[in-house]
């Protein structure tokens, strides 16, 4: 009823990607990371339009900076940033705000167990509760078409896309 729809989705390889890049692995990766978000967003669009709501798409820090550990994951997350920023003017005409959030690393099972444990021990990952707080912070401040970055222990901040890509 709040008129907010968040679309987090993600699978990745997080390993030497070259042996893993196959048509089947790419179908899965694109199917979850891109199509899952796109089809879910489109399915909720009528309700968001009715409520003048917010589409909050969760990309990744890998959506705004290279992530050599998994370039195919990075490709899909860059696509989400492009999709949301490009859809924003059209959705805004319909009364829907479209915002992208790019979390640095969240403590989830997306990473292999060995990498997961190392990132936790290093304080590299933020707990899911931090991500929830970040989303509330962004929701209260963001304008349509904006991209926000969230990192462990910090308040999320607006990414200046023009400076980020064209500096």
């Amino acid at each position: 009823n709040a008129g907010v729809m968040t679309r987090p989705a993600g699978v990745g390889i997080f390993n030497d990607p070259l042996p893993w890049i196959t048509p089947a692995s790419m179908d899965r990766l694109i199917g979850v990371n891109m199509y899952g978000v796109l089809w879910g967003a489109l399915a909720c669009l009528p309700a968001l339009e009715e409520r003048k709501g917010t589409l909050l798409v969760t990309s990744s820090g890998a959506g705004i900076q290279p992530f050599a550990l998994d370039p195919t994951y990075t490709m899909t997350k860059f696509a989400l940033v492009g999709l949301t920023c490009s859809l924003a003017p059209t959705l805004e005409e319909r009364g829907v705000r479209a915002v992208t959030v790019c979390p640095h690393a969240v403590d989830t099972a997306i990473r292999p167990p060995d990498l997961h444990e190392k990132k936790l021990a290093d304080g590299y990952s933020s707990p899911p509760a931090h991500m929830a707080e970040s989303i509330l912070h962004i929701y209260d401040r963001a304008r349509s078409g904006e991209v926000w970055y969230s990192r462990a222990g910090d308040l999320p901040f607006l990414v200046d896309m023009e400076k980020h890509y064209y500096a």
Side-chain angles (χ1 to χ4, degrees):
N1 285 341
V4 177
M5 204 271 290
T6 181
R7 292 301 310 161
V11 294
I13 297 168
F14 304 104
N15 199 328
D16 177 1
L18 296 179
W20 299 97
I21 299 175
T22 65
S25 71
M26 291 308 299
D27 285 348
R28 178 173 183 262
L29 191 74
I30 292 169
V32 172
N33 294 6
M34 291 167 52
Y35 290 154
V37 173
L38 175 63
W39 302 139
L42 292 176
C44 293
L45 192 55
L48 290 173
E49 288 179 12
E50 181 181 315
R51 292 177 178 86
K52 305 296 183 206
T54 299
L55 171 65
L56 193 117
V57 172
T58 305
S59 175
S60 168
I64 56 173
Q65 60 193 17
F67 181 55
L69 191 57
D70 196 340
T72 54
Y73 173 83
T74 302
M75 172 187 75
T76 64
K77 296 305 179 172
F78 264 87
L80 293 179
V81 171
L83 173 70
T84 309
C85 290
S86 298
L87 274 177
T90 301
L91 294 180
E92 201 167 19
E93 289 174 5
R94 293 172 163 84
V96 176
R97 178 174 61 156
V99 178
T100 310
V101 59
C102 297
H104 177 71
V106 180
D107 179 17
T108 67
I110 190 171
R111 292 185 300 271
D114 58 331
L115 183 59
H116 179 74
E117 292 305 317
K118 180 182 181 333
K119 297 302 181 190
L120 279 178
D122 293 346
Y124 181 83
S125 294
S126 59
H130 178 265
M131 188 64 215
E133 291 168 8
S134 293
I135 287 172
L136 291 173
H137 180 89
I138 292 165
Y139 180 81
D140 287 342
R141 290 161 179 80
R143 294 188 331 224
S144 195
E146 290 182 341
V147 177
W148 288 69
Y149 184 75
S150 176
R151 156 176 69 212
D154 294 331
L155 285 174
F157 59 87
L158 177 64
V159 177
D160 182 340
M161 295 300 285
E162 191 168 315
K163 188 183 286 184
H164 188 73
Y165 286 112
Y166 304 113

